[in-house]
Amino acid sequence: MEDATILDFEFEAHASPVAVADREALLQNPGFGKVFTDHMVVIKYSVEKGWHDARVQPRGPIQIDPACAVLHYAQEIFEGMKAYRMPDGGAALFRPEANAKRFRDSAERMAMVPLPEELFLSSVRELVRIDRDWIPNSEGGSLYLRPFMFASETFLGVKPASEYLYMVIASPAGAYFKGGAPSVTLWISEHYTRAAPGGTGAAKCGGNYASSLIAQAEAIRNECDQVVFLDAVENKWVEELGGMNTFFVFEDGSIQTPPLGGTILPGITRESLLTLARDAGITVREERYSIDQWEADARSGKLREAFACGTAAVVTPIGRVRGRETDFTIGNGGPGILTEKLRADLVAIQRGEAPDPHGWLKRLF
Ligand code: PLP
Ligand code: COI
């Protein structure tokens, strides 16, 4: 068996990559998740060979058997991270080790074979170096990286698979919300929950997103941007959005976010903002917050701001919250001062425009 942590990548260059002028046009306004780079990473796992055949190859369709386990039992996980253009023209990743660690944790929860963290990191580095010209230079632009892994064994038995395929694709990204969304309106999901204690809420597995879609569709039907999920036991405590964690900012200047405990995703943006807030001397609480309290505090003015955060959405103000019998505005419905400050502080570090006291940026070139 090869030493999986130091696999060499075989490189097959794309025979007809996107022409420079076309690429530049695509990078003008890439949106989110629609435009892809020329190459992708593929690494295989089998019980006999371990991790093997690490390749960076032209991006394109892959063939899988109709009995491929993931198509039936959804043994699949993914990550989301970004490469940023640095002021000197180089590029860096933000806290990639945290994504590698979370990928491992997700694999363990889904009874998958964990990818060695060093291999995760080298795979991402290889792809970004090769597709470096796809990192947007535009303000707010970045190269979104999507490492993922699925059960690739051809077998209909219900058991942890013995073969996996790990891949990384890359997608230049602008703002996640159309129009940059100065603030979003949330829809409270009253019927559907995202994750129960003992379930997979803390893992970044595709199934969590599949089960969130009906609630997200309900949000859109009700003219809201995103759904906010409550806990599955009491249907009372605010957990997170379909793809973002939540924060609350109070009149005394303190901030609060729901605690990790297995039912919400341990966001790397969440953890970074907690650290930046503590650095700034802000009182920070990781405590449960009920939807009724949220409404009461928004109405009394005790709650000044609320925001959602994640890799794709960065920091997005929550302006309004609606439900079947609820409708309230937070602050003046627009971005709040502390939200804007935390966003600016985080983005400045991510883009190499401010000192990085925690060593979060990892230069690629
Ligand atoms: N919660 C969910 C359900 C997510 O999908 C994401 C996005 O990755 C987050 C929170 C935020 O996590 P991170 O800040 O690591 O991107
Ligand atoms: C991310 O922020 O990376 C996410 O995964 C959110 C969503 C696009 C799934």
Side-chain angles (χ1 to χ4, degrees):
M1 205 180 285
E2 298 177 62
D3 179 351
T5 57
I6 51 163
L7 283 185
D8 279 335
F9 285 79
E10 199 168 302
F11 176 47
E12 180 195 343
H14 203 300
S16 50
V18 175
V20 175
D22 294 342
R23 187 181 65 224
E24 292 307 319
L26 287 167
L27 290 178
Q28 289 304 310
N29 190 11
F32 180 82
K34 294 184 293 193
V35 176
F36 298 96
T37 66
D38 294 311
H39 297 91
M40 64 184 186
V41 168
V42 183
I43 311 178
K44 295 178 182 161
Y45 176 88
S46 68
V47 169
E48 302 76 40
K49 292 189 177 173
W51 292 102
H52 64 283
D53 275 2
R55 290 171 58 82
V56 182
Q57 64 187 53
R59 204 193 89 86
I62 53 168
Q63 271 205 326
I64 50 174
D65 192 277
C68 183
V70 70
L71 299 179
H72 303 273
Y73 311 124
Q75 224 191 341
E76 188 269 354
I77 56 171
F78 66 95
E79 267 305 322
M81 57 205 289
K82 284 175 171 173
Y84 300 91
R85 187 66 74 188
M86 295 291 105
D88 64 3
L93 295 166
F94 182 72
R95 305 190 72 179
E97 310 83 4
N99 295 95
K101 158 88 170 54
R102 189 169 64 187
F103 198 63
R104 167 181 276 280
D105 293 343
S106 296
E108 277 165 5
R109 177 61 184 83
M110 303 305 287
M112 301 168 85
V113 174
L115 182 77
E117 288 166 51
E118 191 41 55
L119 193 49
F120 177 100
L121 294 169
S122 58
S123 70
V124 169
R125 283 196 296 261
E126 290 284 328
L127 185 62
V128 179
R129 285 199 187 113
I130 288 167
D131 280 343
R132 60 173 67 194
D133 293 338
W134 286 93
I135 308 172
N137 287 313
S138 54
E139 200 189 324
S142 58
L143 185 63
Y144 183 79
L145 299 158
R146 175 52 66 85
F148 62 104
M149 168 160 88
F150 61 90
S152 55
E153 185 180 1
T154 300
F155 183 51
L156 292 183
V158 183
K159 64 150 187 83
S162 61
E163 287 171 26
Y164 295 93
L165 207 59
Y166 166 77
M167 304 180 69
V168 190
I169 54 174
S171 173
Y176 181 69
F177 290 107
K178 282 197 204 100
S183 67
V184 291
T185 300
L186 303 187
W187 176 255
I188 305 164
S189 180
E190 287 168 32
H191 301 300
Y192 305 110
T193 52
R194 180 184 170 276
T200 58
K204 207 159 164 61
C205 60
N208 287 344
Y209 299 81
S211 72
S212 77
L213 295 178
I214 191 166
Q216 177 63 22
E218 187 178 278
I220 302 288
R221 249 195 336 275
N222 285 282
E223 291 166 5
C224 295
D225 301 292
Q226 276 281 326
V227 58
V228 54
F229 288 102
L230 305 178
D231 77 288
V233 177
E234 296 178 73
N235 213 32
K236 166 178 178 181
W237 306 103
V238 178
E239 299 235 299
E240 63 178 324
L241 315 191
M244 281 153 259
N245 295 115
T246 50
F247 273 86
F248 308 97
V249 180
F250 296 90
E251 62 181 347
D252 64 1
S254 65
I255 67 173
Q256 184 166 334
T257 190
L260 302 179
T263 58
I264 68 176
L265 194 81
I268 294 159
T269 318
R270 172 190 180 279
E271 208 274 325
S272 305
L273 291 170
L274 285 172
T275 302
L276 290 180
R278 287 192 182 106
D279 288 353
I282 294 168
T283 302
V284 166
R285 288 182 300 276
E286 293 180 70
E287 281 171 23
R288 298 201 294 182
Y289 196 49
S290 75
I291 187 71
D292 292 343
Q293 196 64 48
W294 189 357
E295 176 163 8
D297 290 347
R299 290 195 189 286
S300 73
K302 186 175 171 210
L303 181 81
R304 289 288 163 84
E305 308 172 24
F307 63 88
C309 66
T311 297
V314 195
V315 170
T316 300
I318 300 167
R320 188 174 162 199
V321 180
R322 296 182 43 220
R324 267 183 318 134
E325 289 163 6
T326 322
D327 189 342
F328 59 93
T329 300
I330 297 135
N332 62 8
I337 292 168
L338 195 55
T339 302
E340 290 291 272
K341 177 192 154 43
L342 287 171
R343 180 191 163 92
D345 289 354
L346 177 68
V347 168
I349 295 176
Q350 289 174 331
R351 300 197 168 272
E353 291 161 358
D356 175 23
H358 300 282
W360 286 338
L361 275 192
K362 293 290 136 67
R363 281 298 285 238
L364 291 163
F365 53 86

